[in-house]
Amino acid sequence: MQRDATGGADLARLLLRSMIGGTMIAHGVRHARTLAGTAGWFDSLGFRHAKLQAKISATVEISSGTALLAGAATPVAASAVIGTLAVAAGSVHRPNGFFIVDEGYEYVLALSIAAASLASLGPGRLSVDHALGLDDRVTGRAAGLGALLLGGAGALAHLKAFWTRPE
């Protein structure tokens, strides 16, 4: 019996997009629904312009999650996810070690690697990128590394511009 490897790969990409995109949308909606609380938390973490940071966080999480879920501009959306999670890792999770049970960076690292992997693999046939004929042009090693580099550079710039480690 011959297997449909392409169909299986497309399903795997759809599942990966759904997990990452759905998670980011859920986080963004939570931040949007609790803007005042999120802003207070960001302020306690040492972010300047905490109310603006809360709005930006919610917007980026919802929009990047939606784009990944749809498979639209996949490497760019993946870089936004990576950047958002790298900011969280740098400002909250890194000092706590690896394991999430200790508020460590395990979860944000896993989700970031999943996003970079998706950028490398491409969104698959069940995506907006494929419908537009872009999926073959925006995949591979360069797309994955580009998403990592763009997301990481964006996170570093964001932390440098808006964050001071609380004492």
Side-chain angles (χ1 to χ4, degrees):
M1 174 183 280
Q2 185 177 7
R3 292 183 176 227
D4 179 11
T6 304
D10 284 329
L11 177 60
R13 288 175 173 125
L14 176 61
L15 292 171
L16 190 56
R17 288 188 355 244
S18 298
M19 184 275 300
I20 301 166
T23 298
M24 295 307 293
I25 291 168
H27 277 266
V29 168
R30 181 175 181 213
H31 286 155
R33 286 185 171 171
T34 61
L35 275 177
T38 300
W41 180 57
F42 283 180
D43 185 56
S44 75
L45 294 173
F47 282 97
R48 291 180 288 286
H49 311 291
K51 188 172 182 177
L52 175 63
Q53 295 294 322
K55 290 178 183 177
I56 290 170
S57 177
T59 301
V60 170
E61 289 171 354
I62 293 169
S63 61
S64 65
T66 300
L68 279 185
L69 188 59
T74 301
V76 175
S79 72
V81 168
I82 292 164
T84 299
L85 297 173
V87 168
S91 61
V92 177
H93 301 288
R94 187 182 48 80
N96 300 320
F98 179 74
F99 295 105
I100 191 65
V101 295
D102 296 321
E103 294 294 324
Y105 59 87
E106 172 185 15
Y107 177 74
V108 294
L109 176 64
L111 208 51
S112 294
I113 297 301
S117 298
L118 182 59
S120 296
L121 293 170
R125 290 184 295 178
L126 305 171
S127 68
V128 171
D129 285 345
H130 179 76
L132 296 174
L134 300 173
D135 55 331
D136 289 337
R137 298 179 193 178
V138 293
T139 61
R141 185 180 311 149
L145 288 174
L148 279 170
L149 291 173
L150 183 60
L156 287 173
H158 187 92
L159 288 168
K160 184 157 180 67
F162 296 104
W163 182 66
T164 303
R165 183 182 310 277
E167 294 184 28

